[in-house]
Amino acid sequence: MTVFSDEAFCDHEQVVFVSDEASGLKALIAIHDTTLGPALGGCRMYPYADEEAALRDVLRLSRGMTYKAAAAGLELGGGKAVIIGDPRSQKTPALLQAMGRAVERLAGRYITAEDVGTTVADFAEMRKATHHVVGLPVELGGTGDPSPTTALGVFHGLSAAARHCWGAASLAGQHVAVQGLGNVGWHLCQLLHEAGASLTVADVHASRAAKAVATFAARAVAPEAIYAADADIFAPCAMGAVLNDVTVKQLRCGIVGGAANNQLAREDHGELLRSRGILYAPDFVINAGGMIRVASERDGYDQDLVGRGVEGIGRTLLTIFQSAEEAGVATHVAALQLAQARLGQARAAQAALAA
Ligand code: NAD
């Protein structure tokens, strides 16, 4: 793979290839942009098909974190790490500590956290070798699992989207199709159920879907049938690239918004959603709740402050929907413009200070 000219590279400040023979660690750390502050982003562990797939994933994810932090108004940059390996069979304390040492060598330019394939307990292990960890267990001074806060941010975001789209005062009576009933998807179902929404759900693990049927009176469908569910809202809370040439045509909803990162398979799928009259809540804006929460650990967790920040996701989305309409562009384009404007202002202020 050519790196500098690859579309995913996108002017990263730094990419680190990490290897530790003793523990078998092979990992990548990507720091996209530190204009607004140190790069914060999760550490994923996944059995990538090859190194190229791992590199592309870390680059795409870390760039997204820059925009997520900027749109959420955080004093943080964007970064991400991936460990190449199967979390079920290859994760050991030695490997996690070796990853911690790699993070420590970056001296605070990158702050790591939980992601797919890693748990808060893993970061207690990594913490033995680095100070630059957030999302730690409560007993270690952290705020624990960020997923309920991510779900709350998605809930506020969907409420804002329903207000913008239909003038709805709440999500009561709305029908939401939730894809993925993991940490975030499950909490989101709970919030939606409590708010009086009805649910259609899908998960590749049939037992999770069955539990949602029993707990939330949801209707379960097969994973491939969730896109065409007769719902008002589609909430992707599983994997990335789920909005693509095949699926966007199947959607019957008016709003798409959920926790998954990198939902658009390609940028033009955002335009396809717009042309079909579907309001898309850009992923990096609506799923920032967890980042807002773990970021707060650096200055001492303040529940009210975090609550206000997470509620702000709804207000930010309303601004984005409005400016997208005024400019006649897709919502993900307006969201990127908002994030880039904040980065541009910070760069200008830094240049003025240095002059
Ligand atoms: P998770 O691994 O706990 O849950 C994912 C769920 O999706 C699992 O139950 C899995 O079985 C299911 N799934 C996988 N493929 C599926 C498919 N094709 N159809 C239906 N279900 C499928 O992950 P999570 O922590 O809940 O995160 C969900 C998504 O949100 C991920 O993409 C993650 O990167 C993103 N995200 C999470 C957070 C957070 O705070 N956890 C924050 C921001 C973004």
Side-chain angles (χ1 to χ4, degrees):
M1 174 184 176
T2 51
V3 179
F4 290 114
S5 56
D6 192 275
E7 191 200 7
F9 184 69
C10 194
D11 285 329
H12 269 71
E13 284 180 16
Q14 189 176 6
V15 182
V16 181
F17 289 74
V18 181
S19 167
D20 178 73
E21 202 181 345
S23 65
L25 174 70
K26 290 271 179 294
L28 296 161
I29 302 174
I31 297 177
H32 177 245
D33 191 297
T34 57
T35 304
L36 297 172
L40 188 144
C43 175
R44 178 169 290 198
M45 184 164 185
Y46 190 78
Y48 291 98
D50 52 36
E51 290 167 20
E52 192 173 323
L55 179 58
R56 199 157 272 142
D57 202 31
V58 80
L59 292 174
R60 274 170 57 89
L61 288 164
S62 83
R63 174 178 176 241
M65 293 307 286
T66 298
Y67 298 134
K68 189 184 296 198
L74 296 169
E75 304 295 313
L76 288 167
K80 204 87 183 184
V82 297
I83 298 174
I84 302 171
D86 188 334
R88 286 168 303 181
S89 57
Q90 288 172 279
K91 199 192 285 176
T92 60
L95 179 136
L96 292 166
Q97 286 180 32
M99 188 65 194
R101 288 195 296 279
V103 172
E104 187 65 16
R105 284 195 289 273
L106 290 166
R109 276 177 54 69
Y110 168 66
I111 303 165
T112 196
E114 187 197 356
D115 201 83
V116 174
T118 55
T119 64
V120 284
D122 297 337
F123 291 92
E125 201 58 54
M126 253 189 236
R127 178 75 176 79
K128 293 177 182 166
T130 181
H131 297 92
H132 308 297
V133 181
V134 290
L136 287 166
V138 177
E139 57 276 18
L140 288 181
T143 56
D145 180 8
S147 308
T149 312
T150 302
L152 184 61
V154 172
F155 179 80
H156 287 311
L158 293 180
S159 305
R163 194 174 326 143
H164 181 84
C165 232
W166 305 306
S170 78
L171 291 171
Q174 305 289 351
H175 180 177
V176 187
V178 180
Q179 178 187 47
L181 300 167
N183 294 320
V184 182
W186 185 267
H187 287 289
L188 179 63
C189 285
Q190 198 152 14
L191 292 167
L192 290 166
H193 179 64
E194 282 163 14
S198 60
L199 299 169
T200 294
V201 298
D203 196 291
V204 286
H205 293 290
S207 60
R208 292 189 189 165
K211 197 173 157 200
V213 171
T215 313
F216 308 122
R219 190 173 79 93
V221 295
E224 61 281 6
I226 194 75
Y227 304 101
D230 187 14
D232 303 303
I233 298 172
F234 171 53
C237 298
M239 305 301 284
V242 290
L243 302 170
N244 54 45
D245 289 337
V246 177
T247 59
V248 172
K249 290 180 194 143
Q250 296 175 22
L251 294 174
R252 297 161 75 186
C253 57
I255 291 170
V256 173
N261 286 310
N262 296 332
Q263 290 169 27
L264 300 172
R266 288 191 318 266
E267 294 287 300
D268 58 290
H269 291 117
E271 186 52 46
L272 189 58
L273 285 165
R274 184 171 98 92
S275 70
R276 291 211 50 216
I278 298 170
L279 182 69
Y280 172 58
D283 45 15
F284 66 85
V285 182
I286 198 169
N287 74 8
M291 189 186 201
I292 293 170
R293 175 173 170 147
V294 297
S296 75
E297 285 177 27
R298 299 173 65 233
D299 306 318
Y301 176 59
D302 177 336
Q303 197 177 347
D304 290 341
L305 199 64
V306 169
R308 284 199 295 280
V310 175
E311 250 185 78
I313 289 173
R315 285 190 294 279
T316 305
L317 280 170
L318 287 173
T319 306
I320 288 166
F321 297 151
Q322 186 72 34
S323 58
E325 259 177 31
E326 282 165 14
V329 296
T331 51
H332 74 288
V333 173
L336 273 178
Q337 286 168 350
L338 181 129
Q340 276 162 343
R342 181 156 184 250
L343 285 162
Q345 280 162 11
R347 284 190 195 113
Q350 286 164 10
L353 268 179

